[in-house]
């Protein structure tokens, strides 16, 4: 789909020359850059505070870390500039909060933008508002709360319109209360957007946006075969085992990270800012949220009537447990971890082994462990393993680059221990009727791509899944060592591809996948892409082109948990789903995206 105002800059240094592959004009001289409010911030006589929250409801992975506002008299003089508010750090997720001192006056929103550095790369994206978005006043000594701003790429035929919307009835003071409690102000006298009579229109648009998610933070298969898809803005899509679709939701606009269901049908879901909701079978959703500075990474039923929850709070990681009560959940802390004290309940008392590609010097002194932030967590319920991603306390941007520690745990007590052997795979999961594994690229990896494996039931070994094919000059696939061109034998070329989604195995050896072949021209900057539906009959050692077409070129994500048919998601583009009963030869649309 077409889009605007995004890009990538890479600086390449070679023999003292810096080559700009792409360039965007800097903002330093264009805007008045306004730092985030701190305990040392003091207001001058003609200054107020502007506060806001931005939610990224798209599949774009980087958070919006800047808000630009235009003063009413922007065009009166070249000396009058727009102001850029900087987001509070850290901001690894798609939600950011802002609070900055702003000169008193009348303002309008110009744009929200994401501007990030990572190594030699710069990533940026600008989303502009329109004249109908509204205006607001900043008054001396007062807080102006802009509420929640949401970025949503609205699909429209073969492109999408990049849209910012604002909630019509913001919870004034919520961001200040949670993130800037040190600032003294009158909570009964908070300003917001000026009334323009369009709140009903905004409410209708917001409801349509929420019910038509284009991105999902997680998917989950329940014991009864139902599939759940966690959309943005608190929306939960459900596909029953017999293919019926339903939509549900909880009272939050923040990202949901994890959901679980037991055999009885009880549901629990959790996510950012400690948001946690509990729904007994046949009942209604209950808000069971924790403190706002918690992030809930994982919830699951360790027993039919017992819920386990793994949540982090800055540098600490907690494991909680509660009975699945029909009324309220009562959490008990079973274990906790930080990078200095290790686990509170640790079986062997040793530090876990950190997987690293760096060579250690024999003469190097072992330094004391440093306190680090918990930025990623995964739990393998089958193998009883937990992986904890740690980032330095000084890493505050969109790229925390965590290092991972792997621990085993006792499912009864959650006492952790150092595994006798680290698992061969960084991640393992079921995909159809096979067990797949994934290895992250090492430091010396040339391609920088993940490696994929299939667990062979007969040999009990991990077999590598190939991500390349041999092709003749006319593009046809071949498993032979030569192609015939103009009556002569020539060597076929080897073309690599990347999986759009994991292969769906119909048996231990037969699978269908959707793959992208890319051809990048360094000098022109052009990248040609070719998406194909592939089949393997030997567990991924060789792939064949089925010759089948996708129902829509933007729909290329197979749901590997569904095994009686191919279920295709259009995530990243629309909320549509398609099904195929003949391995992709024909497709039927089973969920539509509302045209609003």
């Amino acid at each position: 789909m077409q889009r605007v105002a995004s890009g990538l800059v890479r600086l390449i240094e070679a023999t003292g020359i810096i080559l700009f592959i792409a360039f965007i004009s800097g903002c330093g001289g264009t805007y008045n850059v306004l730092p985030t409010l701190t305990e040392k911030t003091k207001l001058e006589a003609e200054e107020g505070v502007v506060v806001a929250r931005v939610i990224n409801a798209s599949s774009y992975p980087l958070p919006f870390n800047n808000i630009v506002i235009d003063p009413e008299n922007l065009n009166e003089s070249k000396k009058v500039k727009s102001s850029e508010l900087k987001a509070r750090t850290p901001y690894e997720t798609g939600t950011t909060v802002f609070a900055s001192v702003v000169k008193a006056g009348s303002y309008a929103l110009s744009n929200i933008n994401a501007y990030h550095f990572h190594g030699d790369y710069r990533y940026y994206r600008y989303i502009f508002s329109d004249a109908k978005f509204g205006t607001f006043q900043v008054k001396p000594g007062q807080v102006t709360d802009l509420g929640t701003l949401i970025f949503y790429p609205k699909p429209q035929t073969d492109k999408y319109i990049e849209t910012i919307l604002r909630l019509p009835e913001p919870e004034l003071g919520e961001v200040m209360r949670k993130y800037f409690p040190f600032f003294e102000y009158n909570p009964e006298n908070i300003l917001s957007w000026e009334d323009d009579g369009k709140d009903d229109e905004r409410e209708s648009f917001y409801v349509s946006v929420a019910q038509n998610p284009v991105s999902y933070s997680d998917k989950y298969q329940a014991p009864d075969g139902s599939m759940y898809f966690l959309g943005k803005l608190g929306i939960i899509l459900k596909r029953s085992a017999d293919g019926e679709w339903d939509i549900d939701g909880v009272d939050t606009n923040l990202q949901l990270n994890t959901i679980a269901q037991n055999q009885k049908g009880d549901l629990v879901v959790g996510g950012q800012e400690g948001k946690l909701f509990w729904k007994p079978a046949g009942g209604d959703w209950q808000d069971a949220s924790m403190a706002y500075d918690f992030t809930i990474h994982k919830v699951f039923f360790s027993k039919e009537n017992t819920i386990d929850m793994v949540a982090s709070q800055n540098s600490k990681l907690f494991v909680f447990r509660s009975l699945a009560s029909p009324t309220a959940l009562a959490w008990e802390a079973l274990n906790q971890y930080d990078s200095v004290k290790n686990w509170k309940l640790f079986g062997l008392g040793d530090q876990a082994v950190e997987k690293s590609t760096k060579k250690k010097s024999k003469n190097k002194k072992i330094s004391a462990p440093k306190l680090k932030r918990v930025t990623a967590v995964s739990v393998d319920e089958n193998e009883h393993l937990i992986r904890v991603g740690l980032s330095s306390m000084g890493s505050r941007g969109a790229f925390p680059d965590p290092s991972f520690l792997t621990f085993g745990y006792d499912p009864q007590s959650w006492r952790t221990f150092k595994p006798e052997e680290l698992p061969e795979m960084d991640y393992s999961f079921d995909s159809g009727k096979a067990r797949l594994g994934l290895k992250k690229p090492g430091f010396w990896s040339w391609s920088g791509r993940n490696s994929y494996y299939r667990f062979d039931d007969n040999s009990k070994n991990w077999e590598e899944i190939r991500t390349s094919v041999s092709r003749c000059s006319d593009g046809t696939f071949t498993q032979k060592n030569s192609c015939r061109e103009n009556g002569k034998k020539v060597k076929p070329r080897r073309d690599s591809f990347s999986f759009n989604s994991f292969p769906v195995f119909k048996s231990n050896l037969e699978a269908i996948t959707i793959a992208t072949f890319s051809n990048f021209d360094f000098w022109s900057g052009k990248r040609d892409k070719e998406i194909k539906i592939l089949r393997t009959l030997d567990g991924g050692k060789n792939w064949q082109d089925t010759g089948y077409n996708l129902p829509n070129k933007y729909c290329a994500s197979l749901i590997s948990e569904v095994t009686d048919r191919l279920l295709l998601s259009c995530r990243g583009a629309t909320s549509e789903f398609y099904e195929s009963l003949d391995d992709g030869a024909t497709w039927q649309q089973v969920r539509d995206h509302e045209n609003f």
Side-chain angles (χ1 to χ4, degrees):
M1 287 189 171
Q2 297 177 359
R3 62 187 182 192
V4 296
S6 60
L8 164 66
V9 177
R10 185 181 184 186
L11 308 181
I12 301 178
E13 297 188 50
T15 62
I17 299 175
I18 299 180
L19 173 65
F20 287 79
I21 296 178
F23 178 79
I24 182 171
S25 59
C27 301
T30 306
Y31 303 143
N32 293 317
V33 178
L34 307 179
T36 306
L37 203 67
T38 70
E39 295 184 28
K40 297 180 180 180
T41 302
K42 294 183 179 180
L43 291 184
E44 300 295 337
E46 294 299 314
E47 293 178 335
V49 171
V50 173
V51 59
R53 183 197 298 276
V54 174
I55 292 178
N56 179 6
S58 75
S59 60
Y60 183 68
L62 297 179
F64 290 93
N65 57 339
N66 300 297
I67 292 177
V68 178
I69 57 176
D70 293 337
E72 185 179 31
N73 61 340
L74 178 63
N75 297 321
E76 290 182 2
S77 168
K78 292 183 178 180
K79 294 182 179 180
V80 180
K81 296 182 179 181
S82 300
S83 295
E84 183 178 66
L85 286 69
K86 311 299 289 186
R88 177 186 181 273
T89 58
Y91 43 69
E92 293 100 6
T93 66
T95 301
T96 40
V97 295
F98 300 78
S100 295
V101 173
V102 178
K103 186 178 179 180
S106 180
Y107 292 85
L109 177 69
S110 170
N111 67 79
I112 60 174
N113 66 79
Y115 200 95
H116 302 280
F117 289 85
H118 191 225
D120 290 338
Y121 291 88
R122 296 183 202 172
Y123 301 84
Y124 60 86
R125 190 171 196 176
Y126 285 71
I127 311 298
F128 292 88
S129 68
D130 58 28
K132 298 179 181 180
F133 202 81
T135 59
F136 57 92
Q137 295 286 330
V138 178
K139 295 184 178 181
Q142 291 186 240
V143 170
T144 300
D145 192 337
L146 303 184
T148 298
L149 311 178
I150 300 170
F151 167 60
Y152 177 77
K154 181 181 179 297
Q156 185 169 312
T157 59
D158 63 342
K159 59 183 179 181
Y160 56 78
I161 302 172
E162 297 189 317
T163 307
I164 310 174
L165 61 146
R166 60 180 173 94
L167 295 187
E169 296 181 0
E171 184 182 345
L172 299 181
E174 182 233 356
V175 169
M176 290 295 292
R177 186 172 62 253
K178 289 180 177 178
Y179 291 97
F180 307 95
F182 51 82
F183 186 77
E184 295 183 3
Y185 65 99
N186 183 0
E188 303 299 324
N189 193 23
I190 299 177
L191 303 174
S192 190
W193 296 93
E194 296 181 317
D195 186 10
D196 58 5
K198 297 180 180 179
D199 277 0
D200 289 343
E201 181 182 335
R202 291 189 179 96
E203 177 68 24
S204 176
F205 187 59
Y206 163 73
V207 170
S208 295
V209 165
Q211 293 181 352
N212 291 271
V214 297
S215 179
Y216 307 101
S217 56
D218 195 21
K219 57 185 174 70
Y220 163 78
Q221 187 173 40
D224 63 0
S226 298
M227 286 296 306
Y228 289 93
F229 301 89
L230 300 183
K232 302 298 178 74
L233 309 179
I235 290 298
I236 303 170
L237 291 184
K238 178 184 177 182
R239 177 190 181 272
S240 67
D242 56 5
E244 295 296 322
W245 289 85
D246 193 14
I247 189 168
D248 200 352
V250 292
D251 188 18
T252 183
N253 289 305
L254 300 172
Q255 178 173 300
L256 300 174
N257 296 329
T258 175
I259 187 171
Q261 177 185 301
N262 60 7
Q263 294 283 358
K264 189 170 61 174
D266 299 331
L267 276 170
V268 60
V269 61
Q272 291 180 354
E273 293 193 10
K275 291 298 181 182
L276 183 71
F277 299 90
W278 162 242
K279 185 179 183 181
D284 297 323
W285 285 106
Q286 303 173 20
D287 191 336
S289 297
M290 307 178 69
Y292 81 94
D293 54 350
F294 275 90
T295 297
I296 299 173
H297 299 277
K298 181 73 174 179
V299 292
F300 63 97
F301 284 87
S302 54
K303 295 180 180 179
E304 174 65 15
N305 65 338
T306 304
I307 307 170
D308 286 4
M309 175 174 65
V310 181
S312 64
Q313 188 183 41
N314 197 14
S315 62
K316 290 182 170 59
L317 184 68
F318 296 88
V319 179
F320 298 98
R321 176 169 288 170
S322 173
L323 291 177
S325 166
T327 53
L329 301 179
W331 296 103
E332 174 192 5
L334 299 183
N335 208 346
Q336 71 179 64
Y337 169 86
D338 69 54
S339 59
V340 173
K341 297 178 181 178
N342 201 2
W343 289 93
K344 185 176 181 180
L345 298 177
F346 191 72
L348 302 179
D350 296 330
Q351 294 289 333
V353 177
E354 182 171 357
K355 297 176 72 174
S356 175
T357 57
K358 297 181 180 179
K359 295 182 179 180
K360 297 181 180 179
S361 171
K362 294 182 179 179
N363 299 322
K364 188 175 181 179
K365 293 183 179 180
I366 300 176
S367 58
K370 295 181 179 180
L371 193 63
K372 296 183 178 182
R373 288 187 301 120
V374 178
T375 52
V377 179
S378 65
V379 179
D380 188 328
E381 303 165 48
N382 297 317
E383 301 294 332
H384 300 142
L385 295 172
I386 179 170
R387 299 179 78 240
V388 183
L390 300 172
S391 303
S392 69
M393 297 298 287
S395 172
R396 316 297 287 178
F399 300 94
D401 295 328
S403 58
F404 284 90
L405 300 175
T406 300
F407 304 90
Y409 70 89
D410 182 325
Q412 301 298 323
S413 65
W414 261 96
R415 178 179 289 274
T416 58
F417 55 88
K418 174 183 173 182
E420 292 184 6
E421 292 184 4
L422 290 174
E424 289 185 63
M425 299 293 122
D426 290 323
Y427 299 97
S428 60
F429 48 91
D430 292 325
S431 184
K433 296 186 177 180
R435 186 76 176 167
L436 301 189
L438 181 150
K439 283 186 179 181
K440 293 286 187 180
F443 180 80
W444 297 108
S445 170
W446 177 256
S447 67
R449 293 182 175 182
N450 296 327
S451 298
Y452 301 90
Y453 297 81
R454 175 189 59 87
F455 188 77
D456 187 78
D457 291 333
N458 297 320
S459 66
K460 305 301 180 185
N461 292 321
W462 288 100
E463 304 286 345
E464 186 167 7
I465 296 175
R466 186 172 290 174
T467 54
S468 63
V469 296
S470 294
R471 301 177 80 175
C472 299
S473 60
D474 60 359
T476 58
F477 289 29
T478 180
Q479 296 182 20
K480 299 179 180 180
N481 294 325
S482 63
C483 300
R484 184 164 292 277
E485 297 179 13
N486 299 323
K488 297 181 180 180
K489 288 185 177 181
V490 296
K491 189 175 181 179
R493 70 177 188 269
R494 200 73 187 169
D495 280 359
S496 297
F497 61 82
S498 57
F499 290 123
N500 290 67
S501 54
F502 299 122
V504 179
F505 278 80
K506 301 172 64 176
S507 67
N508 195 39
L509 294 177
E510 184 181 358
I512 294 288
T513 193
I514 299 173
T516 296
F517 294 83
S518 297
N519 182 28
F520 178 70
D521 188 315
F522 179 85
W523 298 109
S524 68
K526 293 182 179 180
R527 183 183 295 275
D528 296 324
K529 291 186 177 181
E530 182 184 24
I531 299 178
K532 288 185 172 292
I533 302 176
L534 307 181
R535 174 189 284 116
T536 181
L537 300 175
D538 55 12
K541 295 179 181 178
N542 294 283
W543 292 95
Q544 305 165 3
D545 183 3
T546 62
Y548 302 150
N549 295 318
L550 294 170
N552 187 315
K553 63 181 178 180
Y554 307 114
C555 305
S557 180
L558 291 173
I559 308 303
S560 59
E561 290 83 355
V562 177
T563 58
D564 63 340
R565 65 198 65 202
L566 295 181
L567 179 61
L568 184 70
S569 167
C570 304
R571 65 181 178 89
T574 73
S575 59
E576 296 173 348
F577 283 81
Y578 293 83
E579 288 183 356
S580 175
L581 298 174
D582 49 17
D583 292 343
T586 59
W587 296 93
Q588 179 184 4
Q589 187 173 359
V590 292
R591 189 181 192 277
D592 198 3
H593 187 101
E594 178 187 351
N595 184 18
F596 59 92

